[in-house]
Amino acid sequence: NPGHKTREVFLEGEAYFDVKPNAGKPFIIHAGKMEIKVLGTELNVRAYPDEEFSETALVKGAVEVTVQEKGNTRLFRLKPGQKIVARREEALPQNTAAASNTPAVTVTLQPVSKATDNVIAETAWKEDKLVFQDETFAALALRLERWYGVNITIEDPVLAAKRFSGRADNLPLPQLLGILQTITPFGYSINGLDVIIR
């Protein structure tokens, strides 16, 4: 809107932004626990409500990220190749003085994750590449649900906690599950959109 002083979006999910500079109209992204002020840049923002973290990965340019961390407002200025991760902590027992209805957030500044062939893990999805690095099977299953449009149930909690690293480029789900089976043996069945892993 030409009358507005800012350009703002509210993100639930994941998106790649290529924002042109406009000093008179800053571009602001609200995503999970983060408010991201974009200063003309390319960045990837991930904020799924079913994940315990949200992140902003800077590819080019500059951004300022404001996060509410344990009652304090913190401002981060990212450089290209850096990402900020805001992770919700486990809820405290209700009988402690620090307990509240809002989970505490821990913020870390990290380098983006370089995968093979100069692929950046945080933006690989744009090129139909699924990159996962030291992810639990439970966390990977959430990504696979979004990627393939299926519902995944892992029946064994020990299996759900197993960690995987790898990359898949446009593989059918059965083929990808077959590759994961070579890392950790498991069985699975697919019935329409329902996938049971045991």
Side-chain angles (χ1 to χ4, degrees), residues 30-86:
H30 302 274
K33 298 293 183 182
M34 301 184 188
E35 180 179 289
I36 306 135
K37 184 177 180 182
V38 181
L39 310 172
T41 187
E42 292 182 37
L43 71 157
N44 194 78
V45 181
R46 179 173 172 176
Y48 291 102
D50 56 358
E51 291 183 331
E52 293 300 310
F53 69 94
S54 52
E55 70 176 32
T56 299
L58 182 59
V59 178
K60 296 179 184 174
V63 294
E64 293 179 352
V65 183
T66 304
V67 185
Q68 295 291 327
E69 183 186 29
K70 299 178 182 176
N72 298 315
T73 301
R74 295 185 64 189
L75 175 66
F76 297 83
R77 291 181 175 85
L78 298 190
K79 296 177 183 177
Q82 287 184 323
K83 71 176 181 180
I84 186 169
V85 180

Side-chain angles (χ1 to χ4, degrees), residues 6-160:
T6 61
R7 299 170 288 169
E8 293 189 66
V9 296
F10 292 81
L11 175 67
E12 183 176 287
E14 187 166 10
Y16 187 88
F17 295 90
D18 184 352
V19 180
K20 303 304 178 198
N22 184 336
K25 277 194 175 184
F27 190 91
I28 298 171
I29 304 164
H30 302 274
K33 298 293 183 182
M34 301 184 188
E35 180 179 289
I36 306 135
K37 184 177 180 182
V38 181
L39 310 172
T41 187
E42 292 182 37
L43 71 157
N44 194 78
V45 181
R46 179 173 172 176
Y48 291 102
D50 56 358
E51 291 183 331
E52 293 300 310
F53 69 94
S54 52
E55 70 176 32
T56 299
L58 182 59
V59 178
K60 296 179 184 174
V63 294
E64 293 179 352
V65 183
T66 304
V67 185
Q68 295 291 327
E69 183 186 29
K70 299 178 182 176
N72 298 315
T73 301
R74 295 185 64 189
L75 175 66
F76 297 83
R77 291 181 175 85
L78 298 190
K79 296 177 183 177
Q82 287 184 323
K83 71 176 181 180
I84 186 169
V85 180
R87 186 172 300 278
R88 293 194 300 272
E89 294 182 349
E90 292 295 325
L92 295 169
Q94 290 302 311
N95 60 357
T96 65
S100 71
N101 294 328
T102 304
V105 173
T106 299
V107 181
T108 56
L109 197 60
Q110 305 170 17
V112 297
S113 306
K114 286 287 179 75
T116 56
D117 303 329
N118 292 321
V119 173
I120 297 174
E122 289 79 7
T123 59
W125 65 271
K126 288 178 38 285
E127 301 167 19
D128 290 330
K129 300 180 193 312
L130 180 65
V131 176
F132 43 99
Q133 297 179 321
D134 195 33
E135 289 190 44
T136 65
F137 206 175
L140 178 57
L142 285 175
R143 296 183 64 196
L144 296 179
E145 286 183 336
R146 293 190 288 264
W147 195 267
Y148 292 101
V150 296
N151 304 306
I152 298 177
T153 302
I154 303 175
E155 295 182 336
D156 181 358
V158 174
L159 180 60

